[in-house]
Amino acid sequence: MSEPSRVDALLSPWAPSVVGLGLPVLAAIAYAVSVAIARGRGIPWPVWRVAIWMVTCALAAWTFAGPPQALRDVNPWMDGVSIGMSAAVLPLGVALGDPVKLIELLRGQRIRWARGRIARVVMFPGVASLVSAIVLTYAITSQWYQAALTEPLPWALLLLTAFVTGLTVNLPILSDDLMPEWATPAVKTLVAFADGLFDAIPGLVMMLLVNKYSGGALLAIAEVIGIPMIAATVVIWVRADAQEQREIDAELDARDAVTGRPAGHGSMEPEIETGRPQPATTRTTTEPSPAEGQGLWWLDDPRFADRFRD
């Protein structure tokens, strides 16, 4: 009898349970129904978010009912795989699916608790990353983890804690308005980079104090998943800059239309018979005020005018 391939080893054996399979299936169905209702109301929702959510649900089923669960007694390092998946991979997938925004679009109003006082403290930039690292490090170095090795309830609570703390890190970073207004895309990218450093702490501690194989698996998953997280924040940053530029261009074009100036604030007059562009006529009168739509564009922009105007 031939040995199972590596792919077969990743897909079997399974240890199905009501919770391990039921929760991911319910999450997939609920999301699909919500998207169908949204589109029925004329609310667009990106297909890529749906795809990421479904893949995340499949990974959750694999984590909670697949080989990481079935092979815990045979391969101790599978504990590190389960914790790493729960703390890093699954929260990232859920955050990219953006269920908060989807629910708010369906309700027509914001979810208050997601922006309440407690949520603002927990999801404050950098705080969630530090709290997640501390909680997870404590969990795997205390009697909690020792009990989780043999008892199902402590193990389930450990995975749930890892998922929730990971979600408090990923959700605000990858959402539009769950962080303070000053947390620009550049700040979010910096926070994502710092989170990658914090994520290494539980894995390193587990390698040194608990089990080097489990710790190595946890460290590897946490650090590898940090790459797409940072990449996602960079994409958000680029899109935000592009959107801001479009808004500035539209505002300046609207001002030009009101003042009768050509769009684009060109400094060259139309070509004359020589076919060469001629410099704009030199002003001999007093420079008009920005309020009249004249002068440099950044003096017209209300965001910068106060900085440069005497």
Side-chain angles (χ1 to χ4, degrees), residues 14 24 28 53-63 90:
W14 279 64
W53 183 273
M54 295 305 169
V55 171
T56 302
C57 291
L59 290 175
W62 179 83
T63 301
L90 301 183

Side-chain angles (χ1 to χ4, degrees), residues 38 68 104 277:
E104 291 180 341

Side-chain angles (χ1 to χ4, degrees), residues 6-266:
R6 293 183 178 181
V7 175
D8 293 336
L10 292 175
L11 299 178
S12 63
W14 279 64
S17 64
V18 175
V19 175
L21 286 179
L23 289 180
V25 171
L26 287 177
I29 294 175
Y31 193 89
V33 171
S34 299
V35 172
I37 294 175
R39 290 180 175 174
R41 297 178 182 177
I43 302 173
W45 193 252
V47 176
W48 66 268
R49 290 194 186 276
V50 179
I52 289 178
W53 183 273
M54 295 305 169
V55 171
T56 302
C57 291
L59 290 175
W62 179 83
T63 301
F64 302 141
Q69 178 64 30
L71 298 177
R72 288 187 62 208
D73 296 335
V74 180
N75 298 322
W77 58 271
M78 282 295 183
D79 283 352
V81 173
S82 297
I83 297 173
M85 293 290 293
S86 300
V89 179
L90 301 183
L92 178 62
V94 170
L96 290 174
D98 205 357
V100 173
K101 184 176 181 179
L102 179 59
I103 294 172
E104 291 180 341
L105 288 174
L106 292 176
R107 294 180 57 188
Q109 59 182 355
R110 291 186 171 186
I111 301 176
R112 293 184 177 179
W113 62 263
R115 296 172 179 80
R117 182 175 303 176
I118 297 178
R120 288 198 301 269
V121 173
V122 173
M123 295 189 293
F124 192 83
V127 172
S129 299
L130 181 60
V131 170
S132 176
I134 293 175
V135 170
L136 201 55
T137 300
Y138 167 77
I140 61 181
T141 57
S142 65
Q143 292 300 319
W144 184 357
Y145 179 70
Q146 297 302 317
L149 292 175
T150 56
E151 300 178 22
L153 182 58
W155 175 244
L157 292 176
L158 177 58
L159 296 184
L160 178 61
T161 301
F163 173 75
V164 171
T165 55
L167 191 60
T168 59
V169 175
N170 287 267
L171 193 59
I173 291 178
L174 298 176
S175 297
D176 293 333
D177 57 353
L178 293 182
M179 276 190 171
E181 293 184 359
W182 55 264
T184 62
V187 173
K188 289 184 177 181
T189 302
L190 181 62
V191 173
F193 179 79
D195 179 66
L197 300 178
F198 287 131
D199 283 345
I201 296 176
L204 290 173
V205 171
M206 194 175 194
M207 288 180 65
L208 295 174
L209 301 180
V210 182
N211 183 298
K212 63 179 180 180
Y213 300 108
S214 296
L218 174 57
L219 177 62
I221 293 176
E223 293 307 296
V224 168
I225 203 63
I227 298 175
M229 182 180 180
I230 295 175
T233 59
V234 171
V235 171
I236 293 174
W237 188 356
V238 172
R239 289 181 175 179
D241 283 349
Q243 178 63 28
E244 183 179 10
Q245 185 60 50
R246 286 193 294 268
E247 292 175 355
I248 293 174
D249 291 343
E251 182 179 353
L252 295 177
D253 289 343
R255 293 185 182 183
D256 290 341
V258 172
T259 59
R261 297 178 62 195
H265 291 243

